[in-house]
Every structure is written in C-alpha cells, then in structure tokens.
Amino acid sequence: MVRPFNFSAGPAALPLEVLEQAAAEMLDWHGSGVSVMEMSHRGRDFMSICEQAEHDLRDLLAVPASFRILFMQGGGLGQNAIVPMNLMARSASRTADFVLTGSWSIKSQAEARRYGEAHVAARLSDERPMRLPPPSSWQLSANTSYVHVCSNETIDGIEFQDLPDLSALGCDAPLVIDCSSHIASRPIDWTRVGLAYAGAQKNIGPAGLTLVIVREDLLGHALSICPSVFDYRTVADQGSMFNTPPTYAIYIAGLTFQWLKRQTESGLHGLAAIEARNIAKAKLLYDCIDGSKLYRNQIDPSCRSRMNVPFFLADESLTEPFLVQAREAGLLQLKGHKSVGGLRASLYNAMPIEGVQALVQHMHAFESHHV
C-alpha cells in the first residue's frame, strides 16, 4: 500500500510500524483474547502496558528519578488551567510569569489569569524576521511561582533551541514548558525544567493523552478549587489511575516510544538518531525556502522550528493552486493555520526524509511554473 505523506500539525502521522503492530493486535492483545480498548485499566494486562510505556518514556528522554511521569487528559489547553491550579499557590502573591512567543503561550497566559496574577515577562517584538526575546531581557517577578514558556510554537513555527537557565537570571522558580509539538524530537535539559507537559497527538500518539513530567517537590501545592482528578499529587500517588486514563492512547504511545528507541541514524541511536534526522529534514525544507523567489519564512534562523515550518507564497492567490497540486502529488495537510494563513509543513518524527524530499520537489516544480 502506497500511503500519502501527511504533514498535519495534529492529530499527526504515526509511524507505519506502530500502526501495523496496533492493527495486528487489535482483536487479541498477546493472547489475552481482548483488544486493549476492552481491558480494565486496573487489570494485570493493561497495568503492564502502562508501566512499560512509562519506563520507555523515562529511558528515552533520560527523565531523572526526581521527576514523576503522569498520564493525564485534557491536552495542552487543559494544562493551561491545571498548571496554575497546581503551582500558582507556591507564592503568596499567586503570581506566575509568562513569555509570549506565539499563539499557544498567549493562550496559556490568558487562562492562567483565572487563578492568579499572570505577569508577562517578555513578548515577541513586531520586527521581521521574528526572534525570541533573549532571556537577559525578561522582566521576571520577584518570588514568582513559576515561569512558563512554550518551547515550540506549533502555529508560528518558533522554537527554543536552548531552554533558558533561570538560575543564571537570579530566579529560583521552576521553569514550566509546553513542549507539545516537539516532545521526543530532541533531548530536554532537566536541570533547567521543573515541569514539562505535552499533548500526545503531535509527536507521540492519538489525541486524548496528555503527558506531564513534574519534579517531585512541585507536588502538593494545588489550590483548594483544583478538582481531585487534576491534582498532580493525587494523580502521582495513584500511578495515573485515579480515574480511567486514556488506555488506548497510552498503548499507542508506548508502541511509539519503543519505535523511537529502535531508531538508528549514522551510528546514533534512539533520541539522538531522531534528532539528527529531524535536523536534516528541517534543513532540507528551509534551504528550499531560503533559496526561492516564491516562498518565504518569517522566522529568524536562530529560532526556527524543526517540527513546524510555516511559509508563505509571494503571491497569496497561488496558495490554493499549490495545495490542490500538492494533494494530487500525495502531499496532505499543508494548509497554514486559519489564524495566520499561508502554508505549514509539520515534520514530526514519523515523517520520513522521503516525504520532505517529495515536498521540496513539488515546491521546485510549482515555482518553475509561477516565477
């Protein structure tokens, strides 16, 4: 079966091997006689699936023992409320700092205002190309509960290539990162992070699962209004089984973690191999854009996203013909987000280099007829 290349920003493409394994195990998981979707979440079979998924994720991302891994629901938007409900009370002033670098960090700050003071420490300027505000320019609050960044802005195509070192800025608050659209695509420096959260539907599995990786000392600070099911301490103490978790999504994520650990590239293995592959894919597409008279990207190279590449045509009237011909060539979901328009190619882990090569070939051919 020849499958098209799916550049969707999420829910996104999954590795073919994962889909094939899930299909083979759909009716009968490992001789149990039932599908994973039919299992009790507290039964021995599913508990083994969940424990293996957590073990593989911890191994893959080198998560320290001082962090808990929680399998939750609600997506990144849900965590926009759940994080402040759990962390805002760490300071008497109930203040948290936000660095606004695009659509998702703006949503995070707006939601946090419901639970305390959501102070804007920095934001993008109106300059072009767009650049991240340097951490040295951030105006952090005294005794802030936490500092929040979106480490990869899916819509805007902006990525932190290095996470900020808050201690070097004289701040001892934990850094919270929304890493939904680039989790498991590159290493995370856990010495700089207090909490990381990510919806699974972009780089890990189907919609419905939300990962929270939180440092132990940040548990137990929930506001009294926080529902029990969203209290990190409760979820951690119950091994993510306080309520029925998204069982099938956890199963698919577990298969994806195993697939990631098997990857090799130029002598590299696992996450290092995936990162090298992602660097190569992004370079191929950005080189095409930068060398073109028809396409343009508005992000400074210092903070361009490897995962989500937005670009625009010099003549916007050509956008729809570009998309029509792309679909005919088996290149799907390249339309930009409705809030910004243009085009966007998401190059998540499951996108092979051949897909990017096919996209670049289409871009060259299209430009040759319109420039």
Side-chain angles (χ1 to χ4, degrees):
M1 175 183 178
V2 177
R3 305 185 79 227
F5 294 113
N6 178 11
F7 293 91
S8 172
L14 285 166
L16 182 59
E17 289 178 38
V18 168
L19 294 174
E20 290 174 338
Q21 183 174 349
E25 296 176 347
M26 173 60 77
L27 300 181
D28 182 3
W29 182 82
H30 294 201
S32 66
V34 298
S35 168
V36 173
M37 286 189 284
E38 303 171 295
M39 290 178 178
S40 166
H41 63 292
R42 299 187 188 278
R44 180 180 63 185
D45 286 339
F46 182 73
M47 290 299 292
S48 70
I49 290 172
C50 191
E51 289 167 3
Q52 188 65 51
E54 180 177 337
H55 170 81
D56 287 334
L57 177 60
R58 187 176 294 275
D59 186 42
L60 182 71
L61 296 185
V63 179
S66 57
F67 284 73
R68 302 295 295 272
I69 294 175
L70 312 180
F71 294 135
M72 300 184 69
Q73 300 172 65
L77 283 176
Q79 289 300 318
N80 284 346
I82 296 169
V83 169
M85 281 195 287
N86 275 273
L87 299 187
M88 194 74 87
R90 292 185 68 254
S91 70
S93 63
R94 292 191 180 181
T95 298
D97 286 343
F98 290 80
V99 179
L100 305 187
T101 54
S103 300
W104 289 108
S105 52
I106 290 172
K107 289 179 184 292
S108 298
Q109 188 263 347
E111 182 68 21
R113 290 202 300 261
R114 296 171 179 265
Y115 308 101
E117 179 66 28
H119 171 252
V120 177
R123 67 174 76 236
L124 287 178
S125 70
D126 294 329
E127 65 179 346
R128 293 292 184 273
M130 291 184 280
R131 295 178 177 85
L132 287 170
S136 59
S137 70
W138 297 1
Q139 300 297 310
L140 300 175
S141 304
N143 302 315
T144 186
S145 296
Y146 62 92
V147 179
H148 180 283
V149 302
C150 180
S151 50
N152 186 77
E153 292 277 5
T154 317
I155 294 174
D156 305 273
I158 298 172
E159 183 172 16
F160 280 82
Q161 301 304 327
D162 295 292
L163 293 174
D165 182 357
L166 295 185
S167 62
L169 301 177
C171 177
D172 60 2
L175 178 68
V176 173
I177 62 171
D178 173 358
C179 55
S180 293
S181 53
H182 71 163
I183 190 170
S185 71
R186 60 189 303 157
I188 294 176
D189 183 352
W190 296 106
T191 67
R192 298 187 176 188
V193 176
L195 185 152
Y197 66 88
Q201 70 273 14
K202 299 176 183 298
N203 226 3
I204 289 175
L209 170 64
T210 308
L211 300 176
V212 176
I213 306 174
V214 55
R215 209 171 61 213
E216 286 267 8
D217 64 290
L218 300 181
L219 303 175
H221 300 282
L223 297 171
S224 61
I225 63 169
C226 181
S228 299
V229 72
F230 296 143
D231 185 328
Y232 291 147
R233 168 58 75 189
T234 300
V235 178
D237 287 349
Q238 297 294 321
S240 298
M241 297 292 165
F242 180 70
N243 68 322
T244 305
T247 54
Y248 199 75
I250 291 172
Y251 159 70
I252 296 293
L255 296 185
T256 302
F257 300 150
Q258 293 170 11
W259 176 82
L260 286 166
K261 291 174 70 174
R262 293 195 300 269
Q263 298 309 296
T264 60
E265 188 76 30
S266 304
L268 301 172
H269 300 273
L271 195 62
I274 284 294
E275 181 179 31
R277 197 177 299 168
N278 289 332
I279 290 172
K281 291 186 298 186
K283 183 178 186 304
L284 180 61
L285 181 51
Y286 283 120
D287 283 351
C288 174
I289 294 169
D290 291 343
S292 164
K293 295 181 179 179
L294 182 62
Y295 312 106
R296 57 185 172 85
N297 173 269
Q298 298 180 350
I299 311 302
D300 188 83
S302 66
C303 54
R304 282 176 168 176
S305 172
R306 298 173 186 171
M307 294 287 98
N308 309 103
V309 182
F311 58 103
F312 301 85
L313 294 166
D315 181 353
E316 293 185 4
S317 69
L318 294 176
T319 300
E320 188 57 32
F322 178 96
L323 290 169
V324 169
Q325 293 178 33
R327 287 192 292 270
E328 293 171 350
L331 308 171
L332 308 182
Q333 302 295 323
L334 285 164
K335 187 175 182 178
H337 192 271
K338 61 184 179 181
S339 65
V340 296
L343 303 160
R344 175 177 55 175
S346 292
L347 312 181
Y348 297 132
N349 291 339
M351 175 58 64
I353 189 70
E354 291 80 8
V356 185
Q357 290 169 342
L359 173 58
V360 167
Q361 182 179 1
H362 169 64
M363 292 170 68
H364 285 315
F366 189 84
E367 182 171 12
S368 69
H369 289 93
H370 294 92
V371 173

